[in-house]
Amino acid sequence: MELEQLARTINLIIVVMGWAAGIVMLLLFIMFLQDIFQKEHSVRRNFPVIGRLRYFMEDIGVFFRQYFFANDREEQPFNRLTRSWVYKTAKGMGGIIGFGSTNDMREPGTPIFVNSPYPQLEEDCAPSPCLAIGGYVGDQAFEAKRIVNISAMSYGALSSVAIQALVRGAGASGSWINTGEGGLSPHHLEQDCDRIFQIGTAKYGVRDEQGKLDDQRLKDIAQHVNAFEIKLAQGAKPGKGGILPAVKVTEEIAQIRGIPAFISSRSPNRHIDITSPDDLLDMVARVRDVTGRPVGFKTVIADGTYPERLSEAILRRGPDSAPDFMTIDGGDGGTGAAPQVLADHVGLPLSEALPIAVDVLIEAGLRDRIRVIASGRLVTSARAAWALCMGADFINTARGFMFALGCIQSLQCNKDTCPTGITTHNRRLQKGLAPRDKGRRVATYSLGINHELDLLAHSCGLTHAREFRREHVRIVQSAGRSIPLDQLYPYPHAGS
Ligand SMILES: Cc1cc2nc3c(=O)[nH]c(=O)nc-3n(C[C@H](O)[C@H](O)[C@H](O)COP(=O)(O)O)c2cc1C
């Protein structure tokens, strides 16, 4: 009798466990379906069910992190707080915090904006106005709508779905998108938006069979873009041409660039036809004449001699020879693929490079003629506002917009294994990135960061962010004391 009862109990336990396992399996299956059909989270789409652990860990991490890690401001190149600032801004959930800031305002390098005792009333505030680039020598001026824009990242380094999402976001927010050195792809044209075409050292997309600049191709591209940028250098790899690993040179990319498929693509370390400031100005003039569009260049600065020699050449040849803009990239900028030693040790970070470039232009009396675009870790409104105070007209960010696309900083851009589908041509991983939804995030991030620039300006008593000057920010020094930026970098005399 007792044995019978024991057997019945064991049977019952087995049945209950079977049901429990069945219910668990069913729940997991429902989660799996939810994950593959939702479009908000790339990691969950690419790694159904298991990918949820990331979001779970993030949520509970707030409570447990303090026991394992020193603080949220660790991790490079972008710490957790910076990344989550962008994520929240891109979701339209940014801006407001409770309890108080975790930002240590005594940390050297921290910008502290100089609030006015009489800030602007809401009704007197205005969003920053458009600013024209070029239009001085018969070219069609580019009326740029936003201060913060999408920095150069080529189709090749980025996936097609990432480009599609970026152009959607650019179209919806008014920011421009820079094509990067990989040429203009059909994905760039899927949405009406402002575009800057970058001419890299291999001249992809605008070269003839010998690799030289092709006027007809320039004219064709000009139909679709607002301006051209000649790339001399990029912060992550000054003196090194672009590298696109073989696995990323798909048939389509090879066709757009005019190169063989599935063989790694390396562009020259410099433009073969630019070895002096005069050569650069010759190319600026040629591209502007042929296309009727404003033309600028992108570079990295290591000391003041290069901008000085360039401004001397401009003054010698006359102001009509001037480029319409210069993009100054910080030595700590991002990349799809670059030699580590160049990324780690070559080129000044933007905090040193930008003052050099701006001061040379002021001294030469060229500051109003040449627009300055700054890039290099300017992914938050505070860092971008610092660059405006320093003298930049526009901000470009690449990795800020990558975070808006859902990048989790897994540092795999050169491997074709990006888990969020942003820098991979693996179709399975690309499925995680839904261009329509991520395009909305790109637009929300763009509008959010541009809006916060004006918010900071209003607090400083200004009408909008284009009025920022050096006296509106102080920089914390090593002793924990802050110094006004105009004392650290006094304005030089114009035309001196
Ligand atoms: C994936 C990736 C691809 C890039 N491709 C280019 C490029 O084609 N041309 C270029 O001038 N810079 C390129 N860059 C550099 C960025 O345009 C930018 O100058 C640099 O990352 C600094 O901005 P950030 O700190 O906001 O990312 C690339 C950066 C990344 C992350």
Side-chain angles (χ1 to χ4, degrees):
M1 187 66 189
E2 267 180 13
L3 265 180
E4 236 176 67
Q5 198 160 3
L6 186 67
R8 246 185 279 137
T9 311
I10 289 172
N11 258 350
L12 190 67
I13 290 171
I14 290 172
V15 169
V16 169
M17 280 176 66
W19 271 97
I23 289 170
V24 170
M25 292 300 283
L26 185 68
L27 284 176
L28 287 176
F29 184 63
I30 292 170
M31 283 181 180
F32 176 84
L33 291 180
Q34 273 180 342
D35 285 354
I36 55 170
F37 287 117
Q38 61 80 37
K39 293 184 175 167
E40 255 181 69
H41 304 287
S42 313
V43 174
R44 274 175 57 197
R45 256 165 91 84
N46 282 339
F47 303 97
V49 184
I50 197 122
R52 286 179 183 239
L53 284 177
R54 170 185 155 74
Y55 300 97
F56 176 65
M57 296 289 186
E58 248 183 19
D59 284 346
I60 63 165
V62 173
F63 305 107
F64 294 107
R65 219 170 279 144
Q66 57 188 306
Y67 304 115
F68 299 103
F69 305 106
N71 63 48
D72 279 352
R73 293 179 187 273
E74 285 179 355
E75 296 181 274
Q76 290 291 341
F78 295 93
N79 65 35
R80 186 188 307 276
L81 273 184
T82 304
R83 293 196 320 263
S84 71
W85 185 90
V86 179
Y87 296 145
K88 280 191 196 152
T89 306
K91 289 177 189 165
M93 292 158 57
I96 308 292
I97 59 161
F99 195 68
S101 170
T102 61
N103 185 27
D104 183 354
M105 291 174 90
R106 293 156 306 168
E107 191 68 29
T110 304
I112 299 178
F113 293 89
V114 181
N115 64 295
S116 162
Y118 313 108
Q120 293 289 346
L121 292 174
E122 283 303 322
E123 54 268 35
D124 298 329
C125 295
S128 293
C130 295
L131 188 66
I133 300 176
Y136 289 92
V137 276
D139 53 300
Q140 190 183 336
F142 168 26
E143 291 287 336
K145 302 180 196 76
R146 299 283 168 211
I147 292 180
V148 180
N149 298 281
I150 306 175
S151 198
M153 288 181 282
S154 33
Y155 174 45
L158 296 191
S159 61
S160 53
V161 277
I163 299 279
Q164 287 162 4
L166 287 174
V167 294
R168 276 173 189 274
S173 66
S175 290
W176 75 61
I177 179 169
N178 185 312
T179 60
E181 60 187 303
L184 186 73
S185 74
H187 312 294
H188 286 105
L189 300 176
E190 281 181 21
Q191 175 83 32
D192 196 17
C193 66
D194 290 338
R195 305 179 191 95
I196 295 184
F197 183 91
Q198 187 176 71
I199 305 177
T201 55
K203 302 181 176 65
Y204 291 132
V206 285
R207 67 195 213 147
D208 62 18
E209 273 154 23
Q210 284 79 47
K212 295 199 181 124
L213 208 52
D214 182 307
D215 286 354
Q216 188 52 49
R217 283 175 190 261
L218 277 172
K219 276 189 197 145
D220 294 344
I221 296 283
Q223 306 301 313
H224 305 288
V225 304
N226 306 71
F228 286 81
E229 179 180 72
I230 298 166
K231 177 183 169 183
L232 295 185
Q234 159 186 355
K237 46 181 174 184
K240 183 89 188 122
I243 307 166
L244 194 65
V247 67
K248 286 182 149 194
V249 187
T250 61
E251 300 277 2
E252 186 197 21
I253 285 165
Q255 206 235 322
I256 292 167
R257 294 187 178 206
I259 51 172
F262 301 112
I263 295 179
S264 83
S265 156
R266 288 171 181 270
S267 25
N269 291 345
R270 65 165 168 78
H271 287 271
I272 46 172
D273 39 3
I274 301 183
T275 57
S276 67
D278 279 296
D279 289 344
L280 173 64
L281 297 181
D282 287 346
M283 193 189 281
V284 166
R286 174 173 168 193
V287 176
R288 197 162 43 202
D289 285 351
V290 169
T291 63
R293 296 279 185 258
V295 180
F297 70 98
K298 174 169 179 172
T299 196
V300 183
I301 288 180
D303 63 35
T305 53
Y306 177 69
E308 269 165 23
R309 276 187 289 124
L310 181 65
S311 67
E312 278 161 23
I314 296 168
L315 295 178
R316 177 169 33 83
R317 293 165 63 134
D320 280 359
S321 69
D324 299 299
F325 64 92
M326 60 199 264
T327 305
I328 306 299
D329 200 23
D332 46 2
T335 176
Q340 184 170 0
V341 67
L342 298 187
D344 283 351
H345 296 290
V346 184
L348 286 176
L350 192 71
S351 50
E352 284 195 71
L354 188 57
I356 293 174
V358 171
D359 284 357
V360 168
L361 291 183
I362 295 175
E363 280 166 18
L366 291 167
R367 182 62 198 86
D368 292 334
R369 171 67 182 82
I370 301 175
R371 300 286 183 227
V372 175
I373 303 173
S375 59
R377 303 177 76 149
L378 303 178
V379 308
T380 61
S381 49
R383 296 295 306 158
W386 161 83
L388 294 182
C389 291
M390 193 63 248
D393 295 303
F394 296 100
I395 310 300
N396 269 354
T397 170
R399 288 170 292 178
F401 281 99
M402 285 174 73
F403 291 137
L405 286 173
C407 166
I408 56 169
Q409 194 170 270
S410 60
L411 311 180
Q412 320 239 334
C413 306
N414 60 330
K415 292 194 185 133
D416 208 36
T417 49
C418 170
T420 55
I422 298 171
T423 59
T424 177
H425 300 296
N426 178 321
R427 294 225 179 266
R428 192 187 78 73
L429 293 171
Q430 281 185 3
K431 283 211 179 101
L433 198 161
R436 190 181 294 267
D437 297 67
K438 295 296 184 200
R440 268 198 291 274
R441 293 223 178 147
V442 168
T444 313
Y445 169 62
S446 164
L447 294 173
I449 187 169
N450 278 292
H451 164 75
E452 281 203 8
L453 288 177
D454 288 328
L455 188 79
L456 277 167
H458 302 155
S459 169
C460 295
L462 307 172
T463 315
H464 53 71
R466 292 221 167 278
E467 292 176 354
F468 271 129
R469 288 175 51 90
R470 293 184 191 176
E471 53 269 29
H472 295 123
V473 67
R474 303 169 67 92
I475 305 295
V476 178
Q477 304 301 294
S478 49
R481 284 188 58 208
S482 63
I483 297 186
L485 192 61
D486 60 339
Q487 271 181 37
L488 270 177
Y489 296 102
Y491 278 107
H493 294 295
S496 64

